[in-house]
Structure formats: C-alpha cells, structure tokens
Amino acid sequence: MKKFKKFYVEITSVCNLACSFCPPTERKSKFISVEDFTHTLDQIQGHAEHIYFHVKGEPLLHPKLDQLLELSHEKGFKVNITTNGTLIHKNRHKLLNKPALRQMNFSLHSFDGHEGSTDKDGYVSGVLKFAKTLAEAGVLVSLRLWNLDKDNLINLDKDRNREILEMIQEEFELDYRIEEHFVRGKGIKLANRIYLNYEQEFEWPDLKEDEDEGKGFCHGLRNQAGVLSDGTVIPCCLDGEGVINLGNIHQNSFSDIIEGERAANLYDGFSRREVIEELCRKCGYRRRFD
C-alpha cells in the first residue's frame, strides 16, 4: 500500500481573507460534511498517518472543526492545521484538549498580505499567546513568515517583518535579535515546541504562466497527496483548483485512483525527471528540487 508522509484533506474552500499571495478559489464554495469527511478518512486509511486540514480555505471557519478533530483521533490520524490566525479567539474551545491535534502553523505573513487587516499588535499578540497555550498542551507550533525575497533575506527593510520580529522577541523574552540568527533553510526555536520558520514567497502554479523546459523532479504522489473538499484527488497541496484531477473518492476508491493511468504517468515521469502535467511545468515551487 502506497503511503504518504503528508496528506492534505481540505475541509473548506472558503477563506475569510483575500491575501495578495494567494489567488482566489474559482471552485464552488464548500464546507466538507461530517459524512464526507468520515468517508475521506476511511478511504485514506493506511495511506497516511498525518493529515493536514487545508489546501485552500481557512480551516478555522469550519463550524464543526472540533468534531472533525475528534473523528480524526478515533480513526488514528494526527492532524496539522495551517491558519491565518485571525479566528483563534472564536475557536479556542474547538482546538484545545483535542488529542488528534499535533501541530498548528500560523501564517503571520497573512496580516500584511490582506489589504483590509487592522490592529496588527492585537493580531500578533493574540497568536503568540495562544501559541504558548498550545505548546503547554503538547502541540507543536510553527510561526511562519513566508514572505522572504529571492535572496532569502529576512526583508528587514520592510516594516511588516521588523514589527513582527520585535513583537516575537519581546513576547518570548529573547536575549538576541532574530535576524542575527537567520540561517537559510533553518528555523529558530523560540521556546519549547514553538518555532519561527521563514521561507521565500512563492507563486501558486497557474496554467496561464509560461512553461519551463519540462525537466525536473517533485515529491507529488511520492511524499504527499491530497483530497479537495468535493472529493477530488490531487497530487500535491499546490493544485488548489484541482487541475490535475486524478479522480474522485465519491466515485472510485482512493487506492484505485492513485494507481490509475494519470497518477502513474505523473509518478513515472518524475522518476525519469520528466514533467508530464502542464500545471507542473508551470510550477515555480517545483524548481526548488532541481
């Protein structure tokens, strides 16, 4: 049975922000039902142990988030959640004391990425304090700044990062300046179970972009796969529109889908360092593995 290190289960395609770095979803707005979520978990049983509650959308918007976490625990899955962090005050009770919750990732760059954001101090402070609460409960926390420039610098010339870093330094009483410890490709441990991770800003792959030479490698369908909220199986978390539609788990079994012709062609192509799918040939993130 093929197993994946990362498996993405999109629980909603809806988001409460409109960030400049994240293209709007053209798919129909959807919140996965408890029944469909249960079916999804049954379909991927044995294929993954860690699941991620996102592809597109803001998972904390889901009205039955707590129930989805409880179902995940019942079926033996550990859950990672990536959130913009703006809704934690409304969802604390749904996240705490949930044994399935392994890690929460807070995209701190979302605040400045959304044009209508207000009260930066309140936003960052709320995230950092809740991060401490989660860590005390045994949950790993990643504070993300995924807006670095092409040279992988910390972008200190931009007030947005400087302000956030100063707030982090103060909250965790660091005796050093974070930028002085910046090392490309490595995060910084701020406290027990709490880390600051930074990454270069990337562009979502788009069929409208130019193709590259069609050579290279990707971990899609090797280390990761995903299922969108409507049941569409995708090879990686960057196929936010389900362009590489491998099949639907409400029509065929997941095991059959990932052994199907389209999935096999994509997988075998990358084994030869040949890029089969058009969307993959227009994916800048894939070039990081060249």
Side-chain angles (χ1 to χ4, degrees):
M1 179 177 288
K2 187 176 293 186
K3 294 188 176 182
F4 301 96
K5 183 178 180 180
K6 297 180 179 180
F7 200 97
Y8 297 86
V9 179
E10 182 187 73
I11 63 173
T12 180
S13 60
V14 181
C15 188
N16 62 318
L17 300 184
C19 297
S20 58
F21 54 80
C22 188
T25 303
E26 297 179 2
R27 294 180 282 122
K28 182 179 179 181
S29 298
K30 184 174 178 62
F31 290 86
I32 196 170
S33 68
V34 171
E35 293 74 21
D36 285 351
F37 181 77
T38 302
H39 177 70
T40 300
L41 296 189
D42 289 340
Q43 285 287 305
I44 65 173
Q45 195 72 247
H47 290 284
E49 296 178 0
H50 293 165
I51 56 178
Y52 295 69
F53 277 7
H54 66 279
V55 175
K56 299 294 285 291
E58 168 52 53
L60 269 59
L61 277 174
H62 200 290
K64 297 185 178 180
L65 176 63
D66 49 349
Q67 192 171 348
L68 303 188
L69 284 168
E70 290 163 3
L71 283 168
S72 298
H73 177 62
E74 290 174 12
K75 293 184 177 293
F77 291 96
K78 288 295 185 180
V79 176
N80 291 9
I81 294 178
T82 296
T83 173
N84 57 46
T86 60
L87 302 175
I88 52 176
H89 62 290
K90 296 180 179 179
N91 291 278
R92 295 173 57 92
H93 63 290
K94 295 182 180 180
L95 295 165
L96 295 175
N97 301 315
K98 293 296 186 292
L101 185 57
R102 171 187 175 272
Q103 179 170 330
M104 281 203 70
N105 308 312
F106 293 95
S107 299
L108 296 180
H109 49 280
S110 298
F111 185 91
D112 291 297
H114 179 68
E115 186 175 346
S117 296
T118 58
D119 188 16
K120 188 171 189 173
D121 287 353
Y123 163 73
V124 176
S125 176
V127 170
L128 299 185
K129 284 179 169 43
F130 189 56
K132 288 183 174 181
T133 300
L134 289 169
E136 290 171 359
V139 179
L140 291 171
V141 177
S142 171
L143 304 173
R144 293 179 171 181
L145 278 176
W146 284 14
N147 60 359
L148 306 192
D149 61 26
K150 293 182 180 180
D151 295 320
N152 288 292
L153 300 176
I154 202 71
N155 270 345
L156 288 179
D157 58 320
K158 298 182 179 179
D159 289 339
R160 61 186 188 182
N161 280 354
R162 182 180 295 278
E163 292 171 356
I164 291 176
L165 292 179
E166 289 176 350
M167 283 184 270
I168 291 173
Q169 289 164 188
E170 181 178 352
E171 181 66 35
F172 291 96
E173 300 179 344
L174 303 183
D175 58 1
Y176 61 86
R177 294 181 65 82
I178 291 174
E179 60 266 29
E180 296 173 355
H181 288 251
F182 174 77
V183 178
R184 180 178 178 177
K186 293 185 178 181
I188 293 177
K189 184 175 182 178
L190 302 172
N192 188 31
R193 299 192 183 93
I194 304 177
Y195 299 84
L196 172 65
N197 293 288
Y198 23 76
E199 185 57 82
Q200 181 178 324
E201 186 173 318
F202 69 90
E203 295 182 2
W204 287 77
D206 192 322
L207 291 176
K208 298 176 183 178
E209 298 298 322
D210 294 332
E211 292 189 14
D212 60 22
E213 73 285 355
K215 301 293 182 181
F217 178 78
C218 180
H219 293 288
L221 285 186
R222 275 181 164 76
N223 290 351
Q224 65 168 283
V227 177
L228 298 179
S229 52
D230 65 356
T232 300
V233 177
I234 54 176
C236 80
C237 62
L238 294 182
D239 187 5
E241 294 301 312
V243 173
I244 307 176
N245 184 343
L246 301 176
N248 194 293
I249 58 170
H250 300 303
Q251 300 169 1
N252 300 100
S253 73
F254 177 77
S255 297
D256 287 344
I257 290 171
I258 59 171
E259 297 297 337
E261 182 178 1
R262 189 170 188 179
N265 287 341
L266 183 149
Y267 185 98
D268 294 342
F270 281 130
S271 297
R272 303 188 303 268
R273 302 193 71 81
E274 294 180 9
V275 185
I276 303 301
E277 291 285 345
E278 179 183 1
L279 186 68
C280 299
R281 294 195 296 271
K282 298 179 177 183
C283 178
Y285 194 85
R286 176 182 57 79
R287 300 186 187 102
R288 299 185 184 194
F289 306 114
D290 291 347

